[in-house]
Amino acid sequence: MGEDLKALLRPDAAARVQSLRVAEGRATLVLDATGLDAAARAAMEAGVREALAGKVGEVRVAMMADKAEPSTTTNGPAAAPKGPRIIAVGSGKGGVGKSTLSANLAVALARMGRRVGLVDADIYGPSQARLLGTEGQRATAHEGRLVPVESRWGVPALSMAHLSNAGQAIAWRGPKISGALLQLVEGHWDGAEVLIVDLPPGTGDVQLTMLQRCKPAGAVIVSTPQDLALIDATRAVELFEKGGVPVIGVVENMAGYACPHCGEVSDPFGCGGAEASAQEMGVPFLGRIPLDIAIRREGDAGTPTAAGTGPQADAFTALAAGVAAWLDANP
Ligand SMILES: Nc1ncnc2c1ncn2[C@@H]1O[C@H](COP(=O)(O)OP(=O)(O)OP(=O)(O)O)[C@@H](O)[C@H]1O
């Protein structure tokens, strides 16, 4: 199917295809945009969409460049020197893979040329330092604000795990938990256009501070396919909607298990539940990430899956393409 679709593209576009994945009626193309200016990228993207119109239900195009560039699609806003737009990643329930997803979403966006920062707002159970391989690195403070820690993946990050002695590094303000969140969000995110904020699970103080004080541009809700996780995800969606934060969409994580020995795919937690729930709630469905032991292993090793190649990296790229398209459509 992928090769059939590729054959429909103009040769200049076909030559730049790095990956073409078709799943659930959606084609996700990753194109190498090196050397193309904004107008050339727009023309190429429009040409791809035109060539594939009617062949699949949806076409997502992600332009990748070797190094970060201001904007990857032409209908996006001109990069203005203002604070980053916040995308909150939440879940109703713990352990659904929200942190894993936040890290990989950030890395996949960075690979597309977006300038992304990552805030680990899981104040009491931070995991981003491990996921991005920045354990042991310490954030410094400059003029009373935290300076994010650089990672190998083009994504600077701030997490409580980066503060060796939080009480001394910065002066906490207000109630400690919301003060901690604000110090992370208000760090020196110079140059970042998007800040991915990995929230703790549930709908507690950190989420309320986020809604009231940080005004996220949008929220991504992560759920596993089980009913209980989906009920909790519904609560998370409601929280953001009540707070006036648009829900960019729901992601189904740990959907379908590929046996590492025989390759057979099974659905230990069911499949498709999040898509049906998203439909019921009237929010978009952003895609599925399979349950794959490699995702866990790579997360534990601090080498995010999205930084590599293969079907699971492509799944994160597809997700990031959906988020990037939303950002461009909602400047
Ligand atoms: N798609 C996946 N395939 C395999 N393992 C996964 C996947 N997603 C997450 N995991 C693993 O599941 C565990 C929980 O993931 P993670 O810490 O990202 O969840 P979380 O929702 O942020 O949890 P918490 O509520 O503790 O913050 C981790 O060990 C992680 O490596």
Side-chain angles (χ1 to χ4, degrees):
M1 176 83 177
E3 283 305 311
D4 294 348
L5 292 181
K6 194 172 165 183
L8 298 172
L9 302 180
R10 277 182 27 184
D12 58 335
R16 286 178 178 270
V17 172
Q18 292 193 321
S19 82
L20 200 174
R21 183 166 174 267
V22 185
E24 297 140 27
R26 179 193 299 139
T28 303
L29 291 93
V30 180
L31 302 186
D32 176 8
T34 308
L36 297 181
D37 64 12
R41 288 175 185 210
M44 184 158 291
E45 183 174 338
V48 168
R49 290 187 185 286
E50 199 184 309
L52 303 187
K55 307 289 186 234
V56 280
E58 190 189 337
V59 178
R60 285 182 181 175
V61 182
M63 298 279 187
M64 308 273 261
D66 282 342
K67 56 182 185 328
E69 289 176 37
S71 181
T72 51
T73 59
T74 49
N75 56 351
K82 54 181 183 188
R85 300 174 72 199
I86 292 175
I87 294 184
V89 180
S91 69
K93 199 174 164 300
V96 297
K98 173 182 40 56
S99 301
T100 303
L101 197 117
S102 303
N104 282 288
L105 172 61
V107 169
L109 283 167
R111 285 189 81 181
M112 287 175 195
R114 304 279 166 153
R115 288 163 305 155
V116 194
L118 181 62
V119 166
D120 188 353
D122 207 340
I123 307 292
Y124 296 122
S127 51
Q128 290 302 341
R130 174 174 48 81
L131 288 164
L132 292 178
T134 58
E135 265 175 330
Q137 283 176 243
R138 294 285 170 251
T140 52
H142 177 63
E143 292 175 349
R145 286 161 63 207
L146 290 168
V147 179
V149 164
E150 292 297 333
S151 69
R152 286 160 57 205
W153 322 108
V155 177
L158 274 178
S159 164
M160 292 303 284
H162 294 134
L163 309 183
S164 54
N165 194 338
Q168 283 174 11
I170 45 173
W172 297 113
R173 294 190 300 252
K176 204 160 185 176
I177 188 88
S178 51
L181 172 68
L182 293 176
Q183 297 284 7
L184 299 178
V185 172
E186 293 169 1
H188 284 279
W189 296 105
D190 316 340
E193 53 182 314
V194 186
L195 208 52
I196 303 291
V197 179
D198 174 18
L199 290 172
T203 51
D205 283 352
V206 173
Q207 287 78 356
L208 288 178
T209 303
M210 183 88 242
L211 287 174
Q212 289 163 0
R213 305 283 299 274
C214 305
K215 299 195 175 31
V220 171
I221 307 298
V222 187
S223 182
T224 51
Q226 300 107 312
D227 287 347
L228 273 180
L230 288 167
I231 290 168
D232 288 340
T234 309
R235 284 200 200 106
V237 167
E238 280 169 1
L239 176 87
F240 283 106
E241 286 187 333
K242 276 198 196 126
V245 174
V247 173
I248 302 173
V250 172
V251 183
E252 186 169 87
N253 187 31
M254 308 197 199
Y257 173 70
C259 171
H261 305 295
C262 68
E264 190 192 345
V265 176
S266 54
D267 294 315
F269 303 136
C271 183
E275 184 164 17
S277 287
Q279 211 165 18
E280 273 167 33
M281 289 184 276
V283 298
F285 179 66
L286 280 170
R288 293 196 168 85
I289 306 294
L291 176 67
D292 184 341
I293 190 134
I295 294 180
R296 186 183 66 71
R297 210 181 287 132
E298 287 159 3
D300 286 347
T303 52
T305 304
T309 53
Q312 310 324 10
D314 290 349
F316 287 117
T317 304
L319 169 67
V323 171
W326 185 92
L327 281 169
D328 290 343
N330 297 275

Short mmCIF file of all heavy atoms in Angstrom, two decimals, residues 76-138:
data_model
loop_
_atom_site.label_atom_id
_atom_site.label_comp_id
_atom_site.label_asym_id
_atom_site.label_seq_id
_atom_site.Cartn_x
_atom_site.Cartn_y
_atom_site.Cartn_z
N GLY A 76 1.82 27.86 9.29
CA GLY A 76 2.08 28.11 10.69
C GLY A 76 2.39 29.58 10.92
O GLY A 76 2.67 30.32 9.98
N PRO A 77 2.35 29.98 12.18
CA PRO A 77 2.62 31.37 12.47
C PRO A 77 4.10 31.69 12.30
O PRO A 77 4.94 30.81 12.49
CB PRO A 77 2.24 31.47 13.96
CG PRO A 77 2.36 30.07 14.49
CD PRO A 77 2.09 29.16 13.35
N ALA A 78 4.39 32.90 11.94
CA ALA A 78 5.80 33.29 11.88
C ALA A 78 6.34 33.23 13.31
O ALA A 78 5.63 33.55 14.26
CB ALA A 78 5.91 34.71 11.35
N ALA A 79 7.57 32.75 13.46
CA ALA A 79 8.10 32.57 14.80
C ALA A 79 8.30 33.93 15.46
O ALA A 79 9.21 34.66 15.11
CB ALA A 79 9.41 31.81 14.74
N ALA A 80 7.43 34.26 16.37
CA ALA A 80 7.53 35.54 17.05
C ALA A 80 8.29 35.32 18.35
O ALA A 80 8.20 34.26 18.95
CB ALA A 80 6.13 36.08 17.34
N PRO A 81 9.04 36.30 18.80
CA PRO A 81 9.81 36.12 20.02
C PRO A 81 8.93 36.23 21.26
O PRO A 81 9.04 37.16 22.03
CB PRO A 81 10.83 37.26 19.94
CG PRO A 81 10.16 38.31 19.13
CD PRO A 81 9.21 37.61 18.20
N LYS A 82 8.01 35.29 21.41
CA LYS A 82 7.17 35.31 22.60
C LYS A 82 7.34 33.98 23.31
O LYS A 82 8.01 33.08 22.81
CB LYS A 82 5.72 35.56 22.21
CG LYS A 82 5.20 34.58 21.19
CD LYS A 82 3.77 34.89 20.82
CE LYS A 82 3.31 33.81 19.85
NZ LYS A 82 2.12 33.90 19.22
N GLY A 83 6.71 33.86 24.49
CA GLY A 83 6.87 32.64 25.27
C GLY A 83 6.33 31.44 24.53
O GLY A 83 5.50 31.59 23.62
N PRO A 84 6.79 30.25 24.90
CA PRO A 84 6.32 29.06 24.20
C PRO A 84 4.84 28.79 24.47
O PRO A 84 4.31 29.19 25.50
CB PRO A 84 7.19 27.95 24.80
CG PRO A 84 7.71 28.48 26.08
CD PRO A 84 7.75 29.96 25.95
N ARG A 85 4.21 28.12 23.52
CA ARG A 85 2.82 27.68 23.73
C ARG A 85 2.88 26.36 24.48
O ARG A 85 3.69 25.50 24.18
CB ARG A 85 2.13 27.52 22.39
CG ARG A 85 2.13 28.83 21.63
CD ARG A 85 1.58 28.63 20.25
NE ARG A 85 0.15 28.42 20.31
CZ ARG A 85 -0.54 27.86 19.32
NH1 ARG A 85 0.06 27.44 18.23
NH2 ARG A 85 -1.85 27.71 19.41
N ILE A 86 1.98 26.23 25.43
CA ILE A 86 2.02 25.05 26.30
C ILE A 86 1.05 23.98 25.82
O ILE A 86 -0.11 24.26 25.54
CB ILE A 86 1.68 25.46 27.75
CG1 ILE A 86 2.82 26.32 28.29
CG2 ILE A 86 1.43 24.24 28.63
CD1 ILE A 86 2.56 26.89 29.65
N ILE A 87 1.56 22.77 25.71
CA ILE A 87 0.69 21.63 25.47
C ILE A 87 0.76 20.73 26.70
O ILE A 87 1.83 20.23 27.04
CB ILE A 87 1.11 20.85 24.21
CG1 ILE A 87 0.89 21.72 22.99
CG2 ILE A 87 0.29 19.56 24.10
CD1 ILE A 87 1.19 21.05 21.69
N ALA A 88 -0.35 20.61 27.38
CA ALA A 88 -0.40 19.79 28.58
C ALA A 88 -0.71 18.35 28.19
O ALA A 88 -1.62 18.11 27.39
CB ALA A 88 -1.48 20.33 29.52
N VAL A 89 0.07 17.43 28.72
CA VAL A 89 -0.22 16.02 28.47
C VAL A 89 -0.75 15.42 29.77
O VAL A 89 -0.05 15.41 30.78
CB VAL A 89 1.04 15.25 27.99
CG1 VAL A 89 0.70 13.78 27.74
CG2 VAL A 89 1.61 15.90 26.73
N GLY A 90 -1.99 14.98 29.73
CA GLY A 90 -2.61 14.50 30.96
C GLY A 90 -3.21 13.12 30.79
O GLY A 90 -3.33 12.60 29.68
N SER A 91 -3.58 12.55 31.93
CA SER A 91 -4.31 11.28 31.91
C SER A 91 -5.15 11.25 33.16
O SER A 91 -4.85 11.94 34.13
CB SER A 91 -3.35 10.09 31.92
OG SER A 91 -2.71 10.02 33.17
N GLY A 92 -6.22 10.47 33.13
CA GLY A 92 -7.02 10.38 34.34
C GLY A 92 -6.34 9.49 35.35
O GLY A 92 -6.41 9.69 36.55
N LYS A 93 -5.61 8.49 34.86
CA LYS A 93 -5.11 7.40 35.68
C LYS A 93 -3.60 7.36 35.58
O LYS A 93 -3.04 7.75 34.56
CB LYS A 93 -5.70 6.13 35.07
CG LYS A 93 -5.74 4.92 35.92
CD LYS A 93 -6.51 3.84 35.17
CE LYS A 93 -6.27 2.48 35.77
NZ LYS A 93 -4.87 2.08 35.76
N GLY A 94 -2.95 6.86 36.61
CA GLY A 94 -1.50 6.73 36.57
C GLY A 94 -1.07 5.50 35.78
O GLY A 94 -1.86 4.58 35.56
N GLY A 95 0.17 5.52 35.36
CA GLY A 95 0.75 4.33 34.75
C GLY A 95 0.30 4.01 33.34
O GLY A 95 0.57 2.94 32.82
N VAL A 96 -0.37 4.96 32.69
CA VAL A 96 -0.86 4.67 31.33
C VAL A 96 0.19 5.01 30.27
O VAL A 96 -0.03 4.79 29.08
CB VAL A 96 -2.18 5.43 31.00
CG1 VAL A 96 -3.29 4.99 31.93
CG2 VAL A 96 -1.98 6.94 31.08
N GLY A 97 1.33 5.56 30.70
CA GLY A 97 2.40 5.86 29.75
C GLY A 97 2.45 7.32 29.34
O GLY A 97 3.04 7.67 28.31
N LYS A 98 1.89 8.16 30.19
CA LYS A 98 1.85 9.60 29.87
C LYS A 98 3.25 10.20 29.78
O LYS A 98 3.52 10.99 28.86
CB LYS A 98 1.02 10.27 30.96
CG LYS A 98 0.95 11.74 30.96
CD LYS A 98 0.12 12.21 32.13
CE LYS A 98 0.37 11.41 33.38
NZ LYS A 98 1.78 11.36 33.83
N SER A 99 4.13 9.81 30.69
CA SER A 99 5.48 10.37 30.66
C SER A 99 6.25 9.87 29.44
O SER A 99 6.95 10.64 28.77
CB SER A 99 6.24 10.00 31.93
OG SER A 99 5.55 10.49 33.05
N THR A 100 6.10 8.60 29.15
CA THR A 100 6.74 8.01 27.97
C THR A 100 6.26 8.74 26.72
O THR A 100 7.05 9.10 25.84
CB THR A 100 6.38 6.51 27.88
OG1 THR A 100 6.78 5.88 29.09
CG2 THR A 100 7.03 5.84 26.69
N LEU A 101 4.97 8.95 26.67
CA LEU A 101 4.40 9.61 25.51
C LEU A 101 4.86 11.07 25.40
O LEU A 101 5.18 11.55 24.30
CB LEU A 101 2.88 9.54 25.61
CG LEU A 101 2.26 9.83 24.28
CD1 LEU A 101 1.51 8.62 23.81
CD2 LEU A 101 1.40 11.04 24.35
N SER A 102 4.91 11.77 26.54
CA SER A 102 5.35 13.18 26.52
C SER A 102 6.77 13.29 25.98
O SER A 102 7.06 14.15 25.14
CB SER A 102 5.32 13.78 27.93
OG SER A 102 4.05 13.68 28.49
N ALA A 103 7.66 12.43 26.48
CA ALA A 103 9.06 12.49 26.06
C ALA A 103 9.16 12.20 24.55
O ALA A 103 9.85 12.92 23.82
CB ALA A 103 9.88 11.47 26.85
N ASN A 104 8.47 11.18 24.10
CA ASN A 104 8.57 10.81 22.69
C ASN A 104 7.89 11.82 21.77
O ASN A 104 8.36 12.07 20.66
CB ASN A 104 8.01 9.41 22.48
CG ASN A 104 9.00 8.34 22.90
OD1 ASN A 104 10.00 8.12 22.24
ND2 ASN A 104 8.74 7.71 24.04
N LEU A 105 6.80 12.40 22.26
CA LEU A 105 6.14 13.46 21.47
C LEU A 105 7.09 14.64 21.31
O LEU A 105 7.25 15.19 20.21
CB LEU A 105 4.85 13.89 22.18
CG LEU A 105 4.12 15.10 21.63
CD1 LEU A 105 3.68 14.86 20.18
CD2 LEU A 105 2.90 15.46 22.49
N ALA A 106 7.75 15.02 22.40
CA ALA A 106 8.69 16.15 22.34
C ALA A 106 9.83 15.85 21.37
O ALA A 106 10.20 16.69 20.54
CB ALA A 106 9.22 16.46 23.74
N VAL A 107 10.38 14.65 21.46
CA VAL A 107 11.52 14.30 20.60
C VAL A 107 11.07 14.25 19.13
O VAL A 107 11.77 14.74 18.23
CB VAL A 107 12.12 12.94 21.05
CG1 VAL A 107 13.12 12.42 20.03
CG2 VAL A 107 12.79 13.10 22.41
N ALA A 108 9.89 13.69 18.88
CA ALA A 108 9.39 13.61 17.50
C ALA A 108 9.13 15.01 16.94
O ALA A 108 9.45 15.29 15.78
CB ALA A 108 8.12 12.76 17.44
N LEU A 109 8.61 15.90 17.76
CA LEU A 109 8.38 17.29 17.30
C LEU A 109 9.72 17.96 16.99
O LEU A 109 9.86 18.67 15.99
CB LEU A 109 7.62 18.09 18.35
CG LEU A 109 6.11 17.82 18.44
CD1 LEU A 109 5.53 18.44 19.71
CD2 LEU A 109 5.37 18.36 17.21
N ALA A 110 10.71 17.72 17.85
CA ALA A 110 12.04 18.32 17.63
C ALA A 110 12.64 17.80 16.32
O ALA A 110 13.27 18.55 15.58
CB ALA A 110 12.95 18.02 18.81
N ARG A 111 12.42 16.52 16.05
CA ARG A 111 12.96 15.96 14.80
C ARG A 111 12.29 16.57 13.58
O ARG A 111 12.83 16.54 12.48
CB ARG A 111 12.77 14.44 14.77
CG ARG A 111 13.74 13.72 15.67
CD ARG A 111 13.67 12.24 15.47
NE ARG A 111 14.42 11.80 14.31
CZ ARG A 111 14.49 10.53 13.91
NH1 ARG A 111 13.84 9.60 14.57
NH2 ARG A 111 15.20 10.20 12.86
N MET A 112 11.09 17.08 13.77
CA MET A 112 10.41 17.77 12.65
C MET A 112 10.85 19.21 12.52
O MET A 112 10.33 19.94 11.70
CB MET A 112 8.90 17.78 12.90
CG MET A 112 8.26 16.46 12.71
SD MET A 112 6.54 16.66 13.19
CE MET A 112 6.10 14.97 13.31
N GLY A 113 11.73 19.64 13.40
CA GLY A 113 12.23 21.00 13.30
C GLY A 113 11.55 21.97 14.24
O GLY A 113 11.83 23.17 14.22
N ARG A 114 10.63 21.46 15.06
CA ARG A 114 9.99 22.35 16.03
C ARG A 114 10.94 22.58 17.21
O ARG A 114 11.66 21.66 17.60
CB ARG A 114 8.71 21.71 16.56
CG ARG A 114 7.73 21.33 15.49
CD ARG A 114 6.94 22.53 15.05
NE ARG A 114 6.24 22.25 13.81
CZ ARG A 114 5.12 22.86 13.45
NH1 ARG A 114 4.57 23.77 14.20
NH2 ARG A 114 4.56 22.58 12.29
N ARG A 115 10.91 23.77 17.76
CA ARG A 115 11.75 24.04 18.92
C ARG A 115 10.92 23.76 20.17
O ARG A 115 9.97 24.49 20.47
CB ARG A 115 12.26 25.47 18.87
CG ARG A 115 13.33 25.62 17.76
CD ARG A 115 13.55 27.04 17.40
NE ARG A 115 12.27 27.65 17.04
CZ ARG A 115 12.00 28.93 17.13
NH1 ARG A 115 12.89 29.76 17.58
NH2 ARG A 115 10.82 29.40 16.75
N VAL A 116 11.24 22.66 20.82
CA VAL A 116 10.41 22.13 21.89
C VAL A 116 11.16 22.08 23.21
O VAL A 116 12.33 21.71 23.25
CB VAL A 116 10.01 20.66 21.57
CG1 VAL A 116 8.88 20.21 22.47
CG2 VAL A 116 9.64 20.49 20.14
N GLY A 117 10.47 22.41 24.28
CA GLY A 117 10.99 22.17 25.62
C GLY A 117 10.05 21.21 26.33
O GLY A 117 8.90 21.02 25.92
N LEU A 118 10.55 20.60 27.39
CA LEU A 118 9.74 19.61 28.12
C LEU A 118 9.77 19.92 29.61
O LEU A 118 10.85 20.05 30.20
CB LEU A 118 10.29 18.21 27.85
CG LEU A 118 9.57 17.04 28.49
CD1 LEU A 118 8.14 16.92 28.01
CD2 LEU A 118 10.31 15.74 28.18
N VAL A 119 8.58 20.04 30.19
CA VAL A 119 8.48 20.25 31.64
C VAL A 119 7.91 19.00 32.27
O VAL A 119 6.86 18.51 31.84
CB VAL A 119 7.57 21.46 31.96
CG1 VAL A 119 7.18 21.47 33.44
CG2 VAL A 119 8.27 22.77 31.60
N ASP A 120 8.60 18.49 33.26
CA ASP A 120 8.11 17.34 34.01
C ASP A 120 7.35 17.88 35.21
O ASP A 120 7.94 18.25 36.22
CB ASP A 120 9.32 16.51 34.46
CG ASP A 120 8.91 15.20 35.09
OD1 ASP A 120 7.70 14.99 35.31
OD2 ASP A 120 9.81 14.38 35.34
N ALA A 121 6.03 17.96 35.07
CA ALA A 121 5.21 18.54 36.15
C ALA A 121 4.78 17.49 37.16
O ALA A 121 3.98 17.77 38.03
CB ALA A 121 3.99 19.24 35.56
N ASP A 122 5.31 16.28 37.00
CA ASP A 122 5.05 15.25 38.00
C ASP A 122 6.04 15.53 39.14
O ASP A 122 7.13 14.98 39.21
CB ASP A 122 5.28 13.86 37.38
CG ASP A 122 4.44 12.82 38.08
OD1 ASP A 122 4.03 13.09 39.22
OD2 ASP A 122 4.20 11.75 37.49
N ILE A 123 5.63 16.46 40.01
CA ILE A 123 6.55 17.02 41.00
C ILE A 123 7.06 15.94 41.96
O ILE A 123 8.24 15.91 42.30
CB ILE A 123 5.84 18.14 41.81
CG1 ILE A 123 5.23 19.18 40.86
CG2 ILE A 123 6.77 18.77 42.83
CD1 ILE A 123 6.19 20.01 40.09
N TYR A 124 6.16 15.05 42.38
CA TYR A 124 6.56 14.04 43.37
C TYR A 124 7.09 12.75 42.75
O TYR A 124 7.72 11.95 43.42
CB TYR A 124 5.39 13.73 44.30
CG TYR A 124 4.97 14.92 45.11
CD1 TYR A 124 3.67 15.42 45.04
CD2 TYR A 124 5.89 15.57 45.93
CE1 TYR A 124 3.29 16.53 45.78
CE2 TYR A 124 5.52 16.67 46.67
CZ TYR A 124 4.22 17.15 46.59
OH TYR A 124 3.86 18.25 47.32
N GLY A 125 6.80 12.53 41.47
CA GLY A 125 7.29 11.29 40.84
C GLY A 125 7.89 11.57 39.48
O GLY A 125 7.43 11.06 38.46
N PRO A 126 8.94 12.42 39.44
CA PRO A 126 9.47 12.82 38.13
C PRO A 126 10.14 11.66 37.40
O PRO A 126 10.78 10.84 38.02
CB PRO A 126 10.50 13.90 38.50
CG PRO A 126 10.89 13.61 39.90
CD PRO A 126 9.72 12.96 40.57
N SER A 127 9.93 11.60 36.09
CA SER A 127 10.57 10.51 35.34
C SER A 127 11.26 11.00 34.06
O SER A 127 11.89 10.21 33.37
CB SER A 127 9.54 9.43 35.00
OG SER A 127 8.41 10.01 34.41
N GLN A 128 11.13 12.29 33.75
CA GLN A 128 11.68 12.74 32.47
C GLN A 128 13.21 12.71 32.43
O GLN A 128 13.80 12.54 31.37
CB GLN A 128 11.17 14.14 32.12
CG GLN A 128 9.70 14.17 31.76
CD GLN A 128 9.35 13.28 30.58
OE1 GLN A 128 10.21 12.89 29.80
NE2 GLN A 128 8.07 12.93 30.45
N ALA A 129 13.86 12.88 33.57
CA ALA A 129 15.33 12.84 33.56
C ALA A 129 15.80 11.46 33.09
O ALA A 129 16.74 11.34 32.31
CB ALA A 129 15.89 13.18 34.93
N ARG A 130 15.10 10.42 33.55
CA ARG A 130 15.46 9.07 33.12
C ARG A 130 15.12 8.87 31.64
O ARG A 130 15.93 8.39 30.85
CB ARG A 130 14.70 8.04 33.98
CG ARG A 130 14.90 6.61 33.51
CD ARG A 130 14.25 5.61 34.47
NE ARG A 130 12.89 5.94 34.86
CZ ARG A 130 11.82 5.67 34.11
NH1 ARG A 130 11.96 5.05 32.96
NH2 ARG A 130 10.62 6.02 34.51
N LEU A 131 13.92 9.30 31.26
CA LEU A 131 13.47 9.06 29.88
C LEU A 131 14.34 9.77 28.84
O LEU A 131 14.53 9.28 27.74
CB LEU A 131 12.00 9.50 29.72
CG LEU A 131 10.99 8.58 30.42
CD1 LEU A 131 9.63 9.27 30.57
CD2 LEU A 131 10.83 7.28 29.66
N LEU A 132 14.85 10.95 29.20
CA LEU A 132 15.67 11.71 28.24
C LEU A 132 17.17 11.50 28.46
O LEU A 132 17.99 12.11 27.78
CB LEU A 132 15.36 13.21 28.34
CG LEU A 132 13.97 13.65 27.87
CD1 LEU A 132 13.79 15.14 28.07
CD2 LEU A 132 13.73 13.29 26.40
N GLY A 133 17.50 10.65 29.42
CA GLY A 133 18.91 10.36 29.67
C GLY A 133 19.66 11.54 30.27
O GLY A 133 20.84 11.74 29.98
N THR A 134 18.97 12.32 31.10
CA THR A 134 19.64 13.48 31.72
C THR A 134 19.76 13.30 33.24
O THR A 134 19.91 14.29 33.97
CB THR A 134 18.90 14.80 31.42
OG1 THR A 134 17.55 14.68 31.89
CG2 THR A 134 18.89 15.10 29.94
N GLU A 135 19.66 12.08 33.69
CA GLU A 135 19.80 11.83 35.13
C GLU A 135 21.18 12.28 35.59
O GLU A 135 22.16 12.08 34.87
CB GLU A 135 19.63 10.34 35.42
CG GLU A 135 18.20 10.00 35.81
CD GLU A 135 18.00 8.51 35.98
OE1 GLU A 135 18.69 7.74 35.31
OE2 GLU A 135 17.13 8.14 36.79
N GLY A 136 21.24 12.91 36.73
CA GLY A 136 22.54 13.35 37.25
C GLY A 136 22.88 14.76 36.80
O GLY A 136 23.74 15.40 37.40
N GLN A 137 22.21 15.28 35.76
CA GLN A 137 22.47 16.67 35.35
C GLN A 137 21.67 17.59 36.26
O GLN A 137 20.57 17.26 36.69
CB GLN A 137 22.05 16.88 33.89
CG GLN A 137 23.05 16.31 32.92
CD GLN A 137 22.57 16.44 31.48
OE1 GLN A 137 22.35 15.46 30.80
NE2 GLN A 137 22.42 17.67 31.02
N ARG A 138 22.23 18.74 36.51
CA ARG A 138 21.58 19.67 37.43
C ARG A 138 21.24 20.97 36.72
O ARG A 138 22.07 21.52 36.00
CB ARG A 138 22.50 19.98 38.61
CG ARG A 138 22.76 18.79 39.50
CD ARG A 138 21.53 18.50 40.38
NE ARG A 138 21.64 17.23 41.06
CZ ARG A 138 20.91 16.14 40.77
NH1 ARG A 138 20.03 16.17 39.80
NH2 ARG A 138 21.07 15.04 41.45
#
